Amino acid sequence: MLLMAFPGSPTTFNIAPLFPHMRQPIVFFISIALLFQGAALGLFDHGPLQPDDTGSAAGDMQDFGVQWEKSYGRLALWSARYEGPQPVGDADNDGLNELLIGGRDPFMRVMQWDEAGQTYVEQARIMDPVLGIGYSLFGLGSATGFFIGDADNDGDNDVGVAWGRHFSAFEWDGSRYQKIGQHIVTDAGGWETTLDCMVGDVDSDGANEVVVTGGYRSGIPEVLVLQWNGDTFTEESSWNAPGSSSVYFPWIADVDDDGANEIIVNTNETVVLNWDGAGWQPTVVARYGEETGYPFGCVSKDSDNDGKPEIHVTFYTPELAIYEWTGDGYEQKYHHIWQGEDATIEAIDVGDVDDDGIPEVCVGTNLVHVLQWNNDTQTYVEEYLIDDTYGMLAVTCVGDMDNDGSLEINAGAVGVDSRSTPYKAWILKYGWSE
């Protein structure tokens, strides 16, 4: 399967007629014709699978309503939606949260809740600022990964985006998101690409770093740690995965309870990277064989209410694995496969989405499964099953998107049968009704 079929893949367009300084109008028209033909034939699509009988959920699926939804069209190489590790936060530093929505088009959309209209509106649309660096056929990058957080350590949040070949950060100046700096990862040809980015204090020095991950073949490490030097982002450290790997969706958390943060990544293994002052020391949490799909998603938050973060991993199969630190090592706490449903990819997050004071694990296949830890049975049980969505939900994240103090679920499809259905994004809210 080509890399373009995966979330974070380098699918881009050169729209020369709209940007006169670009030079490939013939390539553009030929590419558009081929893409429309491919979309019409369904060549680029991952068709939705029908779920089997996995048992009834404890809750009523109607407990969650669709607060907002939007179609992004049916063109597979433009309309599919991607996930970012930290898409919810106060992007413009006004005390209210925004939501980032990205995909295979070259736009990073900043969504904002409109209290008067009781809906979400597009506050801004950030475009790939390095046109022409693109890929072998096209000149615009996709927002392969993104976050809201303080990337330059000035006390204000920024919007960070991995665009396929470079990372850029933007800060709200009162009227728009102004680019503050960037880091070119690679300008090589082929399918080399960034895949994700995240911000946090990875080496516990009191300052944030930016972690950019990807799939590279020119000697570039799969994990790059960048730091703002006052003018731009420079490489502070790196880690190269053994063999040929692609690293999607990194996470930053103290998962071994030692008081210092680690970087958690997936290759064909789930690996915890500890900074020892000179380099990154890997600890393998789990290894995956051919019977397991490639691990994509990784979220390390407290999902069993014990005050310590667990490691939640999702795969290119409808599969979830949860690991926790025991004091001596990592052990698997939970594992489940939703046979017959679409792949989970990066569709994983943790938060109290039903206002009961207990965190839930939200996993997207073509449906959204909401799981909760049960102290009596010492396992996770399905509390709700949300069936308002469809397609391969690479996007399943939680956050307070409408600033009412409760968490919502954002879902979005990276794979649909575009012959009959468009690529969509949804915001799902507990207790919401039209």
Side-chain angles (χ1 to χ4, degrees), residues 12-15 19 21-22 24 105-108 126-136 138-143 161-170 177-188 194 232-233:
T12 54
F13 284 84
N14 185 329
I15 46 178
F19 297 92
H21 61 281
M22 302 180 70
Q24 297 174 326
D105 52 24
F107 306 117
M108 181 77 268
I126 304 170
M127 192 169 187
D128 177 8
V130 185
L131 306 183
I133 195 174
Y135 307 101
S136 56
F138 312 110
L140 296 178
S142 300
V161 187
W163 292 102
R165 293 298 171 80
H166 68 97
F167 166 80
S168 300
F170 307 83
Y177 288 92
Q178 176 72 34
K179 189 181 77 173
I180 60 172
Q182 67 186 39
H183 179 79
I184 305 297
V185 176
T186 176
D187 57 4
T194 60
T232 190
F233 293 93

Side-chain angles (χ1 to χ4, degrees), residues 323-345:
Y323 307 94
E324 70 175 357
W325 175 255
T326 65
D328 297 316
Y330 297 93
E331 69 176 21
Q332 184 172 283
K333 187 181 184 72
Y334 179 79
H335 176 261
H336 188 77
I337 298 175
W338 288 275
Q339 295 289 351
E341 297 185 18
D342 274 11
T344 47
I345 310 288

Side-chain angles (χ1 to χ4, degrees), residues 13-48:
F13 284 84
N14 185 329
I15 46 178
L18 301 180
F19 297 92
H21 61 281
M22 302 180 70
R23 296 184 177 181
Q24 297 174 326
I26 296 177
V27 171
F28 168 73
F29 286 118
I30 294 174
S31 302
I32 289 295
L34 290 173
L35 292 177
F36 271 108
Q37 182 182 27
L41 295 174
L43 298 179
F44 307 114
D45 299 323
H46 177 97

Side-chain angles (χ1 to χ4, degrees), residues 4 42 102 114 128 157 159 201 220 301 324 342 405:
M4 71 174 66
D114 176 13
D128 177 8
N157 282 337
V159 173
D201 185 2
I220 301 171
K301 295 182 181 180
E324 70 175 357
D342 274 11

